[in-house]
Amino acid sequence: MNINNILVVSPMFLELKTLIEKENLHNNFRFKSEEEMSQDDLGWADALVTFNLKSEYDYSHVKWVHSLGAGVDRFLFQKDWNEEVLLTRTICSFGQRIAEYCLSYILKDLQFHDEFQALKQKKKWLPKTPKLLNKQKVMIFGTGEIGQTTAKILSGLGMEVYGVSLSGRAKEDFKEVLTVDSHFSHLRETNYIINTLPLTEQTAAFFDEPIFKQLSKAGFINVGRGASIREEALLEALDNYHVSFAVLDVFAQEPLLKDNPIWNHPRVYITPHISAVTTPDEGVTCFLKTLKNLEENKPLHNKVNCKRGY
């Protein structure tokens, strides 16, 4: 593919500009904030590098769109995508970052951090034996790059790791990969649920009452997409102790509205979409590798299947 003009649109466009200009590439670049981007910029561009697409613009002249994030639901979910436009996504340390994020909350739970902190406030000395990782079962929804890396790290620490995917195809580091239909029988014995699923028509509001009711005091961690959860069902599951605690890094609407009842639940931990942040260095590295492979007609390992949505 012949790519001459590349438009980079991002809140961190200045950092990206500094890093990309060091490479002395033959391509022409424009670097813009999301507020500064215009239809004229898109008409000029052969390629767009960004986190988002804005509905008011016409992207029909662009040959290639590269997502600076791992997820591409902002490009595809409930949108019509021109299949002649190539879509790629960023692959970098997201799996490692998300695995460590999830592990931190699992260990926090097993080591009784909150309970010991509460005892400290009361100046009470009450020993309680922490639980072991190698006695825990975790179910990871989504067995792509992020899910696989998380499984590798958790299974390496002795956890019994199950996966859930549409195909149920076996993957390394999972004891077993289940299908969407067959995973229910394993939910009751699962200690921790981790959602890494992309947002598609099949996964919207996926975590609802039928799943939550099968759990027995499980910890729930969402690092996938907020719209994959029906929040009312999660709150009910927390109140009924089907879910012992929830760690939520992503939400259907971000920033999370101040009047959302999720804020007030004592067993919900909220972080502002930081479990897998694209750094300028990593974003540029993946973009440059993709550009090189594209220009040299080499395989693109980060190409998105637009029909599947990931």
Side-chain angles (χ1 to χ4, degrees), residues 67 69-78 87 89-90 98 140-148 164-167 171 180 194-207 221-229 250-251 273 303-310:
S67 169
V72 291
D73 52 281
R74 292 175 179 174
F75 302 84
L76 299 177
F77 182 61
Q78 295 182 339
L87 179 60
R89 66 187 185 94
T90 296
I98 281 179
I140 300 174
F141 287 76
T143 60
E145 186 269 335
I146 288 173
Q148 288 178 61
V164 179
S165 70
L166 289 174
S167 68
K171 295 280 184 74
V180 170
I194 298 173
N195 174 40
T196 72
L197 289 169
L199 180 60
T200 66
E201 299 290 342
Q202 291 77 23
T203 64
F206 180 85
F207 292 93
I221 303 174
N222 188 19
V223 289
R225 284 294 181 260
S228 293
I229 299 173
V250 288
F251 300 88
H273 206 145
K303 181 179 178 180
V304 175
N305 184 321
C306 297
K307 290 184 178 178
R308 292 182 179 179
Y310 53 90

Side-chain angles (χ1 to χ4, degrees), residues 133 150-159 161 173:
L133 280 170
T150 304
K152 180 178 182 179
I153 289 172
L154 297 184
S155 64
L157 292 168
M159 297 189 76
V161 183
D173 298 310

Side-chain angles (χ1 to χ4, degrees), residues 216-280:
S216 179
K217 297 182 179 179
F220 181 82
I221 303 174
N222 188 19
V223 289
R225 284 294 181 260
S228 293
I229 299 173
R230 196 169 72 82
E231 290 181 358
E232 295 85 353
L234 174 60
L235 287 170
E236 183 179 349
L238 283 159
D239 290 339
N240 293 330
Y241 279 88
H242 293 296
V243 173
S244 61
F245 70 91
V247 179
L248 307 176
D249 185 54
V250 288
F251 300 88
Q253 185 170 358
E254 297 179 1
L256 185 62
L257 296 177
K258 292 184 178 180
D259 61 356
N260 191 312
I262 288 281
W263 284 111
N264 301 320
H265 201 287
R267 300 197 317 279
V268 172
Y269 301 91
I270 292 173
T271 54
H273 206 145
I274 50 77
S275 62
V277 176
T278 303
T279 64

Side-chain angles (χ1 to χ4, degrees), residues 158-178:
M159 297 189 76
E160 190 172 297
V161 183
Y162 293 85
V164 179
S165 70
L166 289 174
S167 68
R169 187 170 66 250
K171 295 280 184 74
E172 191 176 355
D173 298 310
F174 292 96
K175 180 172 182 178
E176 185 179 357
V177 177
L178 309 162

Side-chain angles (χ1 to χ4, degrees), residues 274-303:
I274 50 77
S275 62
V277 176
T278 303
T279 64
D281 283 336
E282 288 185 314
V284 167
T285 297
C286 184
F287 159 69
L288 292 175
K289 182 178 181 181
T290 306
L291 176 62
K292 184 175 186 292
N293 288 340
L294 189 60
E295 292 183 329
E296 295 178 0
N297 293 315
K298 292 182 178 179
L300 299 174
H301 301 294
N302 57 338
K303 181 179 178 180

